[in-house]
Amino acid sequence: PWRRRAPLAALLAVLLGWPAPAAAADALRVARAFCQADGRGARLGAGSWSAVAPMVAWSLDPAWDRIHLISGFQLGDPRRRGDTTEIEVQYTIVADVTAAGVVREPHVETRTLTLEPTGDGSWRLRGPPAPPFVFASEADADALAELLDPANGQYLSNSGFVWSLLRDAGWELPHRNVTDLPSAPGYGAQRTANVGDLALYYDHGTPYHVAMVESDDRVVSATLNGGLRRTPFGAFAGEIRYLRPGAATPTPAPTPDSTQRRGDTEKEE
């Protein structure tokens, strides 16, 4: 008897590991919607993060200390990888913004978005998350750089937060962006963590988030959509490496007695 034959595209999808046409279209739609929302600045503030929340697998976005300004993006064809779908996106970057200032060196950066099925027929992006890629037409680069400066006081980035904790503990270390911390003088890499160490979360060899170790099973960090949060170590995706302030000597906070003695001496002089 005659039986309905499967479409050739569907057979190729099974044989070659391609996503089925409908699934590929859905994954591509989610990836495009995420990039568009990100470009409009949805990941620059807690109030707008809900625009991307249904499209991502991570529940907490870092309080970013780096923002890429772009003129546009281009999505590639979906590729099946087991249960996930990968889509390359090419960003045309016109400026990189950090607390150190604005670097205007146009270039193209390619990233791979990994999407996983949600169980209800849709897709969502798997972490670790990349820093925001914001349309240059939507942002003032110099104003963003000023905002990212931890000395400004209006916005507390993840690196700015741990820097403030270190300063409160007496460590006289300059602020470093997350990506610069592994090579920053004054820190030593550690195999295991002690309370007060920095936990760096990596995405393909580059740190994207930093927290401070608070206990054997908790870290504390600044997040975009959750404020200052105490979380388990595994709350953020990616490999974790540890840094310990150790090459610099902390300056102990003065005790009341020492302050009084120093004041008396000054008066006598």
Side-chain angles (χ1 to χ4, degrees), residues 17-41:
W18 296 347
D26 287 343
L28 191 61
R29 174 183 55 80
V30 172
R32 180 176 290 108
F34 171 81
C35 291
Q36 289 173 342
D38 193 23
R40 292 190 294 267

Side-chain angles (χ1 to χ4, degrees), residues 119-145:
D120 60 1
S122 187
W123 297 81
R124 62 184 183 181
L125 274 73
R126 176 180 289 179
F133 289 84
V134 180
F135 294 127
S137 58
E138 300 282 339
D140 183 325
D142 295 317
L144 282 175

Side-chain angles (χ1 to χ4, degrees), residues 59-208:
S59 59
L60 291 172
D61 227 29
W64 299 101
D65 63 3
R66 175 180 297 272
I67 299 168
H68 304 292
L69 299 186
I70 63 173
S71 60
F73 64 87
Q74 182 175 351
L75 296 172
D77 295 329
R79 300 189 305 268
R80 185 70 176 267
R81 291 288 184 271
D83 293 334
T84 66
T85 295
E86 294 181 351
I87 299 175
E88 278 193 355
V89 53
Q90 286 189 343
Y91 294 101
T92 303
I93 298 176
V94 297
D96 293 307
V97 184
T98 68
V102 182
V103 177
R104 293 179 173 87
E105 294 180 356
H107 62 282
V108 174
E109 181 172 325
T110 301
R111 284 184 172 263
T112 299
L113 305 181
T114 300
L115 295 96
E116 60 185 25
T118 61
D120 60 1
S122 187
W123 297 81
R124 62 184 183 181
L125 274 73
R126 176 180 289 179
F133 289 84
V134 180
F135 294 127
S137 58
E138 300 282 339
D140 183 325
D142 295 317
L144 282 175
E146 183 179 352
L147 187 66
L148 293 178
D149 186 348
N152 184 287
Q154 298 183 43
Y155 168 77
L156 190 61
S157 69
N158 50 11
S159 59
F161 172 62
V162 297
W163 178 64
S164 68
L165 293 180
L166 290 172
R167 291 184 68 193
D168 289 345
W171 294 98
E172 296 296 333
L173 294 167
H175 171 259
R176 301 287 185 179
N177 293 317
V178 169
T179 55
D180 299 327
L181 277 170
S183 59
Y187 298 93
Q190 304 296 314
R191 290 180 176 271
T192 57
N194 287 345
V195 173
D197 288 350
L198 302 188
L200 287 173
Y201 292 83
Y202 278 72
D203 177 17
H204 292 90
T206 301
Y208 74 93

